């Protein structure tokens, strides 16, 4: 490995690894990526992260894992295009939004497994998104106001994947209707215009195909790659 070179251990469809990829892209940080087979984890990977999870960052003898921690680290070490606020109160409020997002993520996976046609699960998902809708209304175009901040990138991956659950609905349910979630819906459109999002994202069909392979116990980590 080249001295000083930053390396990301990733999996192409992992929403947590996408957090790190978004921050790397936002800050244009040179790095190399190693995509790991998470079904048959190599020993050298588990040596680096005993939890056996991606993302992992490595630079010389430094190893960092847990997506949010990798992103905070990158934001401090590469201070261009700052994502975390300098203001402690704002940073604290941002973390409160991320705690709320953790609840959104839990409900998202229930939607994915049980389907958006289950009214209770759908309502529960929406109720967890509501505080995010309210926060955006107060903050503006992005959670960072006029510009993206760490919160935008940390919560984006599960909104990018929302069309997967919608496409699996037999009744064609609108998961986040515009009359109740106008700010989140506009935010999704704005996020889709950002270069780091374009660079790291997959379309709904690819996410769906990967999810189907994952649900069958045979995750196709290479889906969409050319020979
Ligand atoms: N809390 C971790 C979660 C990361 C995570 O769950 N990654 C998944 C892929 S999306 C993984 O590595 N799974 C491997 C496994 O569970 O064995 C983070 O934020 O980095």
């Amino acid at each position: 490995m080249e001295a000083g070179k930053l390396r990301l251990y990733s999996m192409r469809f992992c929403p947590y690894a996408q957090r790190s990829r978004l921050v790397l892209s936002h800050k244009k940080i040179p790095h190399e990526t190693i995509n790991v087979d998470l079904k048959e984890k190599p020993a050298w990977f588990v040596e680096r992260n005993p939890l056996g999870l991606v993302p992992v960052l490595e630079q010389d003898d430094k190893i960092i894992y847990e997506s949010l921690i990798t992103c905070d680290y990158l934001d401090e070490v590469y201070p261009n295009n700052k994502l975390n606020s300098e203001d402690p109160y704002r940073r604290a409020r941002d973390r409160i939004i991320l705690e709320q997002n953790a609840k959104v993520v839990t409900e998202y996976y229930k939607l994915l497994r049980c389907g958006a046609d289950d009214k209770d699960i759908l309502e529960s998902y929406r109720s967890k998104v509501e505080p995010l809708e309210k926060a955006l209304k107060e903050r503006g175009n992005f959670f960072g106001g006029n510009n993206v901040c760490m919160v935008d990138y940390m919560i984006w991956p599960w909104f990018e994947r929302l069309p997967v659950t919608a496409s699996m609905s037999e009744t064609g349910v609108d998961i986040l209707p515009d009359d109740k979630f106008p700010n989140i819906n506009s935010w999704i459109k704005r996020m889709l215009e950002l270069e780091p999002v374009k660079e790291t994202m997959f379309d709904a069909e690819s996410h769906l195909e990967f999810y189907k392979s994952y649900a069958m116990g045979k995750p196709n980590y290479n889906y969409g790659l050319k020979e």
Side-chain angles (χ1 to χ4, degrees), residues 76-94:
E76 275 195 60
V77 175
Y78 301 86
N80 64 308
N81 296 344
K82 263 286 193 193
L83 286 167
N84 280 321
S85 171
E86 297 296 328
D87 172 30
Y89 178 63
R90 179 71 171 207
R91 264 201 323 269
R93 295 299 309 182
D94 283 354

Side-chain angles (χ1 to χ4, degrees), residues 11 13-17 19 38-39 41 45 49 51-55 65-70 109 158 221:
M11 187 279 272
F13 293 97
C14 171
Y16 297 96
R19 285 174 153 183
L38 295 173
K39 195 84 177 145
K41 293 173 196 163
F45 176 64
N49 181 1
L51 302 175
L53 304 171
V54 291
Y65 43 83
E66 284 301 315
S67 54
L68 183 56
I69 297 174
T70 66
Y109 287 113
W158 293 273
Y221 300 120

Side-chain angles (χ1 to χ4, degrees), residues 160-227:
E160 177 180 311
R161 286 154 181 76
L162 200 54
V164 176
T165 59
S167 71
M168 284 158 62
S169 156
E170 283 170 13
T171 58
V173 67
D174 187 358
I175 297 181
L176 295 176
D178 217 30
D179 58 336
K180 292 211 176 75
F181 298 94
N183 293 289
I184 286 282
N185 283 320
S186 310
W187 172 79
I188 290 174
K189 289 197 189 90
R190 267 180 225 113
M191 289 297 287
L192 285 166
E193 293 301 314
L194 300 179
E195 272 319 307
V197 168
K198 288 185 191 165
E199 235 176 70
T200 60
M201 78 175 289
F202 284 101
D203 59 20
E205 193 193 331
S206 304
H207 278 305
L208 179 63
E209 287 307 316
F210 174 73
Y211 176 68
K212 282 196 215 154
S213 72
Y214 171 83
M216 285 186 323
K218 289 196 166 99
N220 183 359
Y221 300 120
N222 294 330
Y223 177 82
L225 284 181
K226 301 205 171 67
E227 288 293 303

Side-chain angles (χ1 to χ4, degrees), residues 149-167:
C149 72
M150 194 62 94
V151 174
D152 295 276
Y153 286 139
M154 295 305 99
I155 75 178
W156 168 251
W158 293 273
F159 287 94
E160 177 180 311
R161 286 154 181 76
L162 200 54
V164 176
T165 59
S167 71

Side-chain angles (χ1 to χ4, degrees), residues 22-29 71 74-76 78-86 147-150 153 196:
L22 283 162
V23 173
L24 285 163
S25 169
H26 174 85
K27 289 174 172 277
K28 299 190 171 52
I29 302 170
C71 294
L74 291 172
D75 199 41
E76 275 195 60
Y78 301 86
N80 64 308
N81 296 344
K82 263 286 193 193
L83 286 167
N84 280 321
S85 171
E86 297 296 328
N147 299 302
V148 276
C149 72
M150 194 62 94
Y153 286 139

